[in-house]
Amino acid sequence: GAGVSQSPRYKVAKRGQDVALRCDPISGHVSLFWYQQALGQGPEFLTYFQNEAQLDKSGLPSDRFFAERPEGSVSTLKIQRTQQEDSAVYLCASSRRGRGGDQPQHFGDGTRLSIL
Amino acid sequence: QKEVEQNSGPLSVPEGAIASLNCTYSDRGSQSFFWYRQYSGKSPELIMSIYSNGDKEDGRFTAQLNKASQYVSLLIRDSQPSDSATYLCAVSNPNTGNQFYFGTGTSLTVIP
């Protein structure tokens, strides 16, 4: 496809369950980002990949959050033992290779995660 | 202190008027600046990027950057009801990585 694709669009889980969110970036984009967006807030950075290398995971809120991009294309964000505070929209973005965030990031439609 | 600040609004303007959206940032090392539009329940959509001081125009949109004042703005001329959305300001600093720092967004309503 032409844009960033995320699945599922909506995910409801019970507290304590594990969830996995998928992102398929724009073809040829080497940089991939995950953001968390709470209601009424701007996106907050979680982690960044360049190809398959996770170069920055400073935004992951706890060790329950794990992301991977094993072949440098599709990425998965996994949240273990979900808590209610994990409820948010998880956005994936991709961009061309750049330096220091100078390339525009293109966002998927996000996964809206609700923890009951 | 948040790194990127925007007035949350709501900002209401009549159709055909100029909408002015403002953003200030605290990191003086920031070098890349972006405006995104986000409709309710949708993903952020890139409108403009700006890297140098001054104005950059694209159709009805003009971005203005003043690094000395740590200020970036977006002007929307001839506002249309379809411009009603939340506008997000994003900033990046090459010395702190590739991520964007976003403001909380300004909600704009264009009244027909």
Side-chain angles (χ1 to χ4, degrees):
Chain A
V4 178
S5 177
Q6 291 188 247
S7 62
R9 285 296 316 278
Y10 304 92
K11 177 68 179 178
V12 179
K14 293 182 179 179
R15 186 165 55 93
Q17 289 183 330
D18 298 349
V19 298
L21 313 179
R22 175 189 167 102
C23 172
D24 197 346
I26 293 173
S27 178
H29 279 191
V30 301
S31 297
L32 185 146
F33 304 80
W34 285 99
Y35 291 85
Q36 180 189 61
Q37 187 173 25
L39 190 64
Q41 302 296 313
E44 296 266 351
F45 170 76
L46 294 177
T47 188
Y48 159 62
F49 290 86
Q50 184 169 312
N51 295 307
E52 69 279 3
Q54 188 176 22
L55 299 185
D56 188 346
K57 54 182 180 179
S58 62
L60 296 177
S62 77
D63 58 7
R64 296 186 296 104
F65 286 71
F66 171 76
E68 61 182 4
R69 192 186 186 197
E71 297 178 359
S73 179
V74 171
S75 176
T76 302
L77 176 67
K78 298 179 180 177
I79 308 173
Q80 297 176 325
R81 305 181 302 282
T82 52
Q83 303 294 316
Q84 283 192 322
E85 61 262 29
D86 300 334
S87 296
V89 176
Y90 290 84
L91 294 167
C92 177
S94 70
S95 73
R96 299 180 186 280
R97 183 186 301 276
R99 288 181 4 180
D102 65 346
Q103 294 297 308
Q105 295 178 19
H106 301 273
F107 286 82
D109 281 339
T111 294
R112 184 177 298 275
L113 176 64
S114 298
I115 305 300
L116 304 179
Chain B
Q1 180 187 9
K2 290 186 71 70
E3 299 214 25
V4 182
E5 302 243 19
Q6 297 180 251
N7 290 331
S8 61
L11 173 66
S12 294
V13 299
E15 184 174 355
I18 296 175
S20 178
L21 305 163
N22 304 317
C23 172
T24 58
Y25 58 95
S26 60
D27 185 352
R28 209 168 260 287
S30 300
Q31 295 189 12
S32 302
F33 306 85
F34 306 87
W35 282 99
Y36 285 83
R37 176 176 63 198
Q38 187 173 30
Y39 293 112
S40 180
K42 297 295 187 180
S43 62
E45 173 191 6
L46 179 71
I47 298 176
M48 302 259 321
S49 58
I50 187 166
Y51 305 95
S52 303
N53 281 328
D55 295 0
K56 179 180 178 182
E57 185 175 318
D58 184 359
R60 296 186 296 112
F61 299 97
T62 298
Q64 299 174 316
L65 175 61
N66 183 325
K67 290 185 179 179
S69 300
Q70 295 175 242
Y71 175 93
V72 57
S73 66
L74 180 70
L75 300 178
I76 307 174
R77 289 182 300 281
D78 188 22
S79 296
Q80 301 297 309
S82 58
D83 295 327
S84 298
T86 295
Y87 289 80
L88 295 164
C89 172
V91 170
S92 69
N93 178 343
N95 295 318
T96 59
N98 292 275
Q99 71 268 36
F100 286 0
Y101 297 93
F102 285 86
T104 56
T106 298
S107 176
L108 171 67
T109 299
V110 180
I111 303 167

